[in-house]
Amino acid sequence: KSRSDWGQCSYRYYKVAALAGWGFALIAGAIAWFGTVPLLGVEFQESRIVGLIMAGRIPMIFLGCARSNNMVVDGLLPVHSATLIAGAVLNLMLNLVFIPLWGIYGAVFASLVSFWFAAQGCCFFWPILRPVGRQIGRAILLLPYREEGTTR
């Protein structure tokens, strides 16, 4: 396949992952919001917000898995491992800063940022992954495919 065909194929894979992730996030968010009190009791009512926010990381989990598969196929396992380690280290550092400040909401914030970073943000630190980062960004926003180097 040509580079253009491979880019479109990869993008379709990311877009399917994003759509599936958003679908599961909507379901998980609805369960967190509407199911917490009936299932766990009124004392857990405030945790609905945490569950709803944490559902927002599901698309990044799906996109991270799709990106991982592509990186392994492309022979980029060492870079893939480095991105996962970077996400874990970022999570630890953010937890150390934000949990004392905001409690559980600090942990939620740290998780959201580090999941995004591991799936997409770290792509911009490796030149070989920058097109992947742009594809993931377009996929998460459900935008159409755009060939690298075009302005449309």
Side-chain angles (χ1 to χ4, degrees), residues 1-10 127-128 131 134-135 145 147-148:
K1 285 191 167 195
S2 73
R3 186 176 183 97
S4 175
D5 290 342
W6 179 247
Q8 282 186 318
C9 182
S10 293
I128 195 169
R134 289 189 288 273
Q135 283 185 343
Y145 174 75
E147 180 103 21
E148 285 295 316

Side-chain angles (χ1 to χ4, degrees), residues 122-136 148:
C122 63
C123 292
F124 299 106
F125 289 95
W126 279 276
I128 195 169
L129 295 180
R130 286 184 187 139
V132 172
R134 289 189 288 273
Q135 283 185 343
I136 289 173
E148 285 295 316

Side-chain angles (χ1 to χ4, degrees), residues 32-63:
W33 190 256
F34 297 111
T36 300
V37 173
L39 293 172
L40 301 175
V42 177
E43 59 271 13
F44 288 93
Q45 185 166 347
E46 286 186 40
S47 69
R48 296 182 316 164
I49 296 169
V50 172
L52 187 62
I53 295 169
M54 288 300 279
R57 71 187 179 149
I58 294 173
M60 282 299 140
I61 294 170
F62 277 63
L63 283 163

Side-chain angles (χ1 to χ4, degrees), residues 11-26:
Y11 177 74
R12 281 194 299 268
Y13 187 46
Y14 293 137
K15 193 147 185 188
V16 167
L19 285 168
W22 281 119
F24 276 95
L26 288 171

